[in-house]
Amino acid sequence: MLTFIRALARNPIVGGIIVALLIAAFALFGVTDVFTGGGNAAVLVGQERVSVQELGRAYDRRLQQIQRENPRFTREQAEQFGLGEQVVQEMTAMAAIDAKTGELGLSLSDQRLFEAVRAIEAFQNPFSGDFDPQTYASLLRENGYATERLFEADLSEEMTRAQYLNAILGGMAAPDMFARTRRAYEEERRTVRALLIPPSLAGDVPEPTDEELSAFINENAQVFQQPERRRFTLVRVSPELYERDVHVSEEDLRELYEFRLENGELTDPATRSLTQWSAPDQASAEAAASLIAGGEGASVVVAELGLGDAVVLEDVQAFEVPDAQIADAAFAMDQGAVEAVEGRLGWRVVRIDGAVDPVAPTFEEQRPLLVTELAGDQAEGMMLDALALFEEARGAGATLEDAASQAGIPAERFDWLASDGSSPNGFRAFTLGESPEVLENVFSLPVGFAGDLTNFGDTGYFVARVDAIDPSRLPEVDEVRDQASTFWRLREVDNQLQALVDDALARAEAGESLNDIAAGLDGARVESATLGRTETAGPFNRQLVGQAFSVEQGQPFPARAGDQRTRAVVIVDAVIAPQDRPVSPERLAALNQELGNDVAIALENALLTGYEVRQDQRLIDLALGRIDPNDFQ
C-alpha cells in the first residue's frame, strides 16, 4: 500500500495532478461486468464504500494490464501471487483517502476539471492536437462509461485525492544537517587491530564417548532430528513417455502450416513509418502528393498549398494509426510512395517513410516446430488413452501395480524419502524435486491407500500409494556418529579457545598490548586494517567490522574472525571522520526519497487507524471472481 500511496503522489498528468489507472487503462476497459447495481459494500472505510462492482473493475483492469505484458498470465497465477489482495489493499487505501478528503472538505472546481479533461491526450485530435468532443464521447462509450459525467466524477475524485497527497508528500526535502550527519555515519572509517587466536591453539581434543555423543544429540535436537520419511509406490505418466511411438504424417504437417499461414501466426505484424499533412480539399491533397512524389521539398509544398503541420508516426502497426481509413491506405503503399488519402476527418497527404512487410517462413523452415507440436499432441492423446485403461482397471479392483501393468505405464518404488525428496544417506530424488506436487500429495496420504489421479507439471498425471511411514525422531548414536562427533569436537575446540579469549581480553583491558599477549601464545598473531562500515578484509569479516563500529575507540572486545572458528580480541585504534564537503545532489535525492517513504508509511498508518475498516470477505471473493455470481446467496 505504501507503493500505491507514493505512486499517487508522484504520477502527474495535469499540473502535478494524477489520474491513477483511468487513462492508462483505456486499452484495458470494456470488461463486461457480472455485477449490477450498488449492492452491499465489499470494503467500508469510515463512511466510504468500495462496492463489489468497483472492486471487480479495478481487479480486472490490473489483471489485464499484466496480461498485456505477459499474455500467458492466468487468473490462477494472479490468485497464487496475491494480486486480488493487493488490489483490495489499494482500494482500501483509496477509500481512506476519500474519507479524509471528505472530512477536510476538499473539492475540485468545474473549471479545473474542464481543463484536466481537455489536456488528456487520448481525447485530442491526433492531427490538430485540440480537444475533440466526438473522440471524447466515443472513447468513453467504448470503455464502459455510459455518460461523460460518470468519467468526470471518477476523474474529479482522483484529482481531489492528489490535492491531499501532494499537500503532505509534495516538496519533501531533507535538511542539510541531516544529510551531512548521514554522510558522516556512512563514510566514517576505522583502523582496527585484532589478536587472532586460531583453532590450533585449542590443543588435542579426545574422541567423545557414546554417552557424551548421546547427551550432545539430545542437547541439539533441532540439528539432529530426523524428518518423517515414507516408502511409497508411484505411477506417473506424461506425454514424453509416448513420443518415441508417435508418427506425424506429412499431410497433417502441411494442413497445420497452411492454417497458421492464413491466420497470420507465422510472421511479425507489418509496420509503417509515415508522415501525413492535412489538406483543405481533395484537389490540394492530390496536387501536393504529386509534387512531393516528384521530388519537390515537402516544406515548400506544405507552405504553397496551405497544408497542416506534419504528423509523424514511426514503426506503427495498422491498429496504432488513429484513422482506420488512413491505416488501410498506408499499409497498401510501399516505402517512398506519396498519395492523397481521404480520412475520417478529411483529406490527407500521406508519405511512407519506411515499410516492413515480414516474409512468412517456408514450410521446410517451420517443419521442425510443426513436428514437435503435432508429436506432442499425439503423445498427449496416447497418454490419455493409457490413463483411461489404467483408471478402468483400478475401478475393477486391480492394485496400483496391476492397473499400471495393464495400461503399459511403469510403477516406481521409492524407499524412505523425506518431504523434500532426500534419503537417509543425503541423496535427493531429483525427478521428484522437479515436481513438488508429487511429494506434497504423498505426505498427505494415509498408509495403504492410493490417492486420486492428480496433475503434475504442465501435462503429466500421477497416483501415489504410501506403503510405510518412519515417523520423525531423534536418531541413535550409530546413525549419526560421524556427524555428531564432528560437531562435538568443534564445540570442544571452541570451549577451549574461549578460555584463551577470556584471559587475553582481561589482559588487554588491563593495558597490556596485543603484540605482547600474542608473544605468549604460540601460533597467535596480530593484524590490522582500516575499513568502512560495509568493507571486509581477510580475517576482518562483516560481523567483526560491525562490532568495531559499535564500540568506543581503545575499548577491547571479543569477536569471531574469518570463518568464525578463529577467535579474536579486537581494539579500534582510530576513528577517521570523512572530509567536510557539500552533499551531492544524488545523495540528497536519495535521502528525500527515504524521508518521503517514512512520511507515506506514517500517513498509511494514520489513515487506516483513524477510520474503522470493515471488509466482507464473501463480497470480496465475488468481486475477484472466486465465487460464481449465479451461486452467490
Side-chain angles (χ1 to χ4, degrees):
M1 194 180 301
L2 166 62
T3 303
F4 175 69
I5 289 178
R6 291 289 291 163
L8 284 179
R10 65 170 183 260
N11 203 0
I13 185 170
V14 183
I17 305 301
I18 60 90
V19 184
L21 298 179
L22 291 176
I23 304 308
F26 268 153
L28 309 178
F29 285 15
V31 182
T32 302
D33 288 314
V34 296
F35 313 110
T36 59
N40 292 326
V43 179
L44 275 171
V45 183
Q47 299 300 314
E48 291 296 325
R49 303 162 58 87
V50 179
S51 70
V52 172
Q53 184 180 25
E54 290 168 333
L55 180 57
R57 283 178 174 173
Y59 179 72
D60 285 338
R61 291 168 191 164
R62 178 63 59 81
L63 177 59
Q64 291 180 48
Q65 276 183 316
I66 296 173
Q67 288 174 333
R68 288 190 71 191
E69 300 293 331
N70 304 278
R72 295 184 178 179
F73 190 80
T74 65
R75 281 187 174 269
E76 289 73 20
Q77 290 173 310
E79 185 74 16
Q80 179 183 353
F81 292 128
L83 180 64
E85 283 67 28
Q86 180 182 346
V87 173
V88 170
Q89 288 182 353
E90 292 178 359
M91 295 295 284
T92 302
M94 194 179 296
I97 296 170
D98 289 343
K100 178 57 69 173
T101 59
E103 181 182 316
L104 296 174
L106 297 182
S107 63
L108 192 75
S109 69
D110 289 344
Q111 179 62 32
R112 185 75 175 120
L113 179 62
F114 174 75
E115 293 171 355
V117 171
R118 294 180 67 85
I120 294 172
E121 186 176 354
F123 302 146
Q124 296 172 358
N125 185 296
F127 306 107
S128 68
D130 295 331
F131 176 74
D132 186 342
Q134 292 183 342
T135 299
Y136 177 48
S138 175
L139 278 174
L140 294 187
R141 284 194 300 272
E142 290 173 8
N143 294 290
Y145 283 97
T147 67
E148 290 88 340
R149 205 59 209 155
L150 289 175
F151 170 74
E152 290 163 8
D154 282 347
L155 180 58
S156 178
E157 289 179 358
E158 292 288 348
M159 294 177 71
T160 301
R161 292 182 193 116
Q163 287 183 40
Y164 171 67
L165 292 173
N166 285 336
I168 296 176
L169 303 179
M172 195 70 63
D176 184 66
M177 179 58 70
F178 176 69
R180 290 176 181 274
T181 302
R182 172 65 73 84
R183 187 187 64 197
Y185 173 84
E186 292 175 348
E187 297 183 7
E188 177 187 310
R189 298 177 68 77
R190 295 194 172 197
T191 299
V192 184
R193 193 157 41 96
L195 166 65
L196 302 172
I197 304 173
S200 59
L201 292 184
D204 293 332
V205 177
E207 289 295 328
T209 66
D210 284 1
E211 292 74 16
E212 288 173 323
L213 285 181
S214 179
F216 183 72
I217 291 169
N218 282 280
E219 291 169 9
N220 298 276
Q222 71 278 9
V223 174
F224 293 100
Q225 186 78 20
Q226 295 290 311
E228 177 185 311
R229 299 185 186 279
R230 296 192 171 202
R231 170 183 287 163
F232 58 94
T233 301
L234 177 67
V235 174
R236 55 178 167 172
V237 63
S238 65
E240 288 78 11
L241 186 65
Y242 299 92
E243 286 180 351
R244 65 180 181 272
D245 300 323
V246 166
H247 172 70
V248 179
S249 72
E250 197 73 11
E251 180 182 354
D252 289 341
L253 291 173
R254 289 196 174 275
E255 183 178 344
L256 179 58
Y257 174 79
E258 294 297 333
F259 175 81
R260 293 266 172 86
L261 188 64
E262 291 176 7
N263 285 274
E265 298 178 26
L266 299 181
T267 60
D268 293 328
T271 62
R272 292 290 185 272
S273 294
L274 60 136
T275 303
Q276 51 187 315
W277 299 268
S278 60
D281 49 50
Q282 180 179 358
S284 299
E286 291 175 345
S290 177
L291 290 171
I292 294 173
E296 291 287 339
S299 59
V300 175
V301 174
V302 167
E304 288 180 352
L305 297 180
L307 304 184
D309 293 336
V311 176
V312 179
L313 299 175
E314 295 185 356
D315 297 324
V316 294
Q317 298 179 38
F319 76 88
E320 295 177 290
V321 179
D323 190 321
Q325 293 172 230
I326 292 177
D328 291 342
F331 278 78
M333 297 163 62
D334 296 325
Q335 184 169 333
V338 186
E339 292 184 8
V341 178
E342 185 177 14
R344 182 168 55 88
L345 300 177
W347 282 90
R348 301 285 183 269
V349 177
V350 179
R351 182 184 67 199
I352 304 302
D353 303 316
V356 177
D357 293 298
V359 178
T362 64
F363 171 74
E364 289 303 322
E365 291 171 334
Q366 282 287 294
R367 198 176 193 284
L369 294 176
L370 298 172
V371 168
T372 298
E373 182 174 343
L374 286 180
D377 290 344
Q378 290 189 24
E380 185 173 1
M382 295 170 70
M383 176 194 72
L384 294 175
D385 289 342
L387 283 175
L389 292 174
F390 172 74
E391 287 293 86
E392 183 179 352
R394 287 183 70 198
T399 65
L400 205 59
E401 293 86 347
D402 288 343
S405 177
Q406 293 179 41
I409 301 174
E412 304 170 81
R413 170 78 172 268
F414 292 90
D415 284 336
W416 310 123
L417 294 186
S419 61
D420 63 356
S422 63
S423 63
N425 59 14
F427 294 109
R428 290 183 181 274
F430 287 107
T431 60
L432 295 180
E434 296 171 355
S435 306
E437 55 268 62
V438 173
L439 284 171
E440 289 176 8
N441 180 271
V442 166
F443 276 78
S444 69
L445 295 173
V447 176
F449 292 92
D452 296 326
L453 193 64
T454 306
N455 285 105
F456 77 93
D458 293 330
T459 54
Y461 292 87
F462 74 91
V463 176
R465 183 191 67 224
V466 175
D467 300 318
I469 298 177
D470 183 13
S472 177
R473 59 183 175 83
L474 274 178
E476 299 296 329
V477 170
D478 286 341
E479 294 180 87
V480 291
R481 181 179 296 278
D482 290 343
Q483 181 188 20
S485 295
T486 299
F487 288 160
W488 183 88
R489 290 175 63 83
L490 288 173
R491 186 188 68 175
E492 291 302 302
V493 167
D494 198 63
N495 288 341
Q496 294 188 38
L497 289 181
Q498 185 64 51
L500 298 177
V501 170
D502 292 341
D503 178 67
L505 181 62
R507 294 166 64 183
E509 290 175 337
E512 190 173 350
S513 74
L514 296 184
N515 286 328
D516 288 345
I517 299 172
L521 295 172
D522 188 20
R525 69 187 190 278
V526 176
E527 293 189 18
S528 64
T530 299
L531 303 165
R533 290 180 183 275
T534 60
E535 296 175 340
T536 60
F540 299 93
N541 57 37
R542 186 173 299 278
Q543 179 181 346
L544 188 153
V545 173
Q547 289 177 263
F549 275 84
S550 64
V551 301
E552 295 182 2
Q553 182 175 339
Q555 176 64 47
F557 64 91
R560 292 184 179 274
D563 63 358
Q564 306 288 326
R565 294 179 60 202
T566 296
R567 305 297 296 275
V569 174
V570 188
I571 298 176
V572 175
D573 287 334
V575 177
I576 307 169
Q579 295 181 351
D580 188 18
R581 62 182 186 278
V583 179
S584 69
E586 293 78 15
R587 182 181 291 274
L588 281 174
L591 290 175
N592 291 340
Q593 178 69 31
E594 290 181 25
L595 189 58
N597 286 343
D598 289 344
V599 175
I601 291 172
L603 173 62
E604 172 188 332
N605 292 334
L607 288 173
L608 295 180
T609 57
Y611 297 103
E612 181 183 6
V613 178
R614 289 172 288 171
Q615 296 182 346
D616 187 318
Q617 191 58 50
R618 292 199 69 217
L619 291 177
I620 289 174
D621 290 343
L622 177 63
L624 300 182
R626 298 168 179 167
I627 299 176
D628 189 327
N630 296 321
D631 297 335
F632 188 78
Q633 298 294 328

